[in-house]
Structures are given as structure tokens and as C-alpha cells.
Amino acid sequence: MDGQINRRMGRQTDRQTDRQMDRQTDRQTDRQTDRWTDRQTDRQTDGQTDRQTDRQTDRQTDRQTDRQTDRQTDRQTDRQTDKQTDRQIKFIVHKLHYYTRYC
């Protein structure tokens, strides 16, 4: 009789140990899976944020560069136009002076 009781107790202990081990394994697997999922999500989020930031920075830089180029082009055009206008005015003034003096 004692042998049967010991065997039953042994089987019961084995089952309880197996259940505890299964639960512990399940918990560890869940934790590892959660950590892995968290890391993947973080990487994806970081990647998206980096790409968005890069796009915004590129746009802003492009706009600034375009504005600066436009300003420089406008200044150069204005200078050339001013020089041509000055030449034309000087020529006209010279002609007027000549005609008023000699004609």
C-alpha cells in the first residue's frame, strides 16, 4: 500500500512540476516575444521618424537654397539692368548736350 501511495504522490508531484515548468516556459516565451515585438516596433518607429525628419530637413534646405539663389540672381540681374540703364542715360544725356550745344 505504501508503494502505491508513493507512486501516486510521485506522479502527482511530477505533474505539478511539469505544469510549473510549462507555465514558467510559457511566461519566458511570452516575455521574449514581447521584448522582440517591442524592439521591432521601436526600430520601425525610429526608422519612420528618421525618414520624416530627413524629408523635412531636405525640403527646408531646398527652400532656403532656392530663396538664396533667387536673391542672388535677382541682385545680379538688377545690377546688369542698372548698368545698361546708366549707359543709355549717359548716351542720351551726351547726345542732348551735343545737340543743344552744336545744333
Side-chain angles (χ1 to χ4, degrees):
M1 192 82 154
D2 284 341
Q4 286 180 338
I5 292 173
N6 284 341
R7 273 185 253 141
R8 280 188 206 150
M9 292 297 287
R11 282 187 229 131
Q12 188 175 6
T13 303
D14 287 347
R15 280 187 227 122
Q16 287 175 347
T17 303
D18 287 348
R19 284 186 206 125
Q20 287 174 349
M21 291 297 288
D22 287 346
R23 285 186 205 125
Q24 189 174 4
T25 303
D26 288 348
R27 279 189 224 116
Q28 286 176 341
T29 303
D30 287 348
R31 284 187 204 118
Q32 289 173 347
T33 303
D34 288 347
R35 286 185 197 130
W36 183 84
T37 303
D38 289 348
R39 283 195 298 271
Q40 289 297 103
T41 302
D42 288 348
R43 284 186 195 122
Q44 288 174 350
T45 302
D46 289 348
Q48 287 173 348
T49 302
D50 289 348
R51 284 191 294 277
Q52 287 174 348
T53 303
D54 287 348
R55 283 187 209 121
Q56 282 180 332
T57 303
D58 287 348
R59 280 187 215 124
Q60 288 173 349
T61 303
D62 287 349
R63 286 181 194 136
Q64 287 174 346
T65 303
D66 288 348
R67 285 185 202 124
Q68 196 170 18
T69 303
D70 288 349
R71 280 188 218 116
Q72 289 173 347
T73 304
D74 287 350
R75 286 183 196 133
Q76 288 174 349
T77 304
D78 287 348
R79 284 186 201 123
Q80 288 175 347
T81 303
D82 288 349
K83 285 179 183 177
Q84 289 174 350
T85 304
D86 285 349
R87 283 189 200 120
Q88 288 173 349
I89 291 173
K90 284 180 182 178
F91 181 75
I92 292 172
V93 166
H94 178 72
K95 272 189 163 185
L96 280 173
H97 184 72
Y98 178 79
Y99 284 120
T100 54
R101 203 169 211 194
Y102 297 107
C103 291

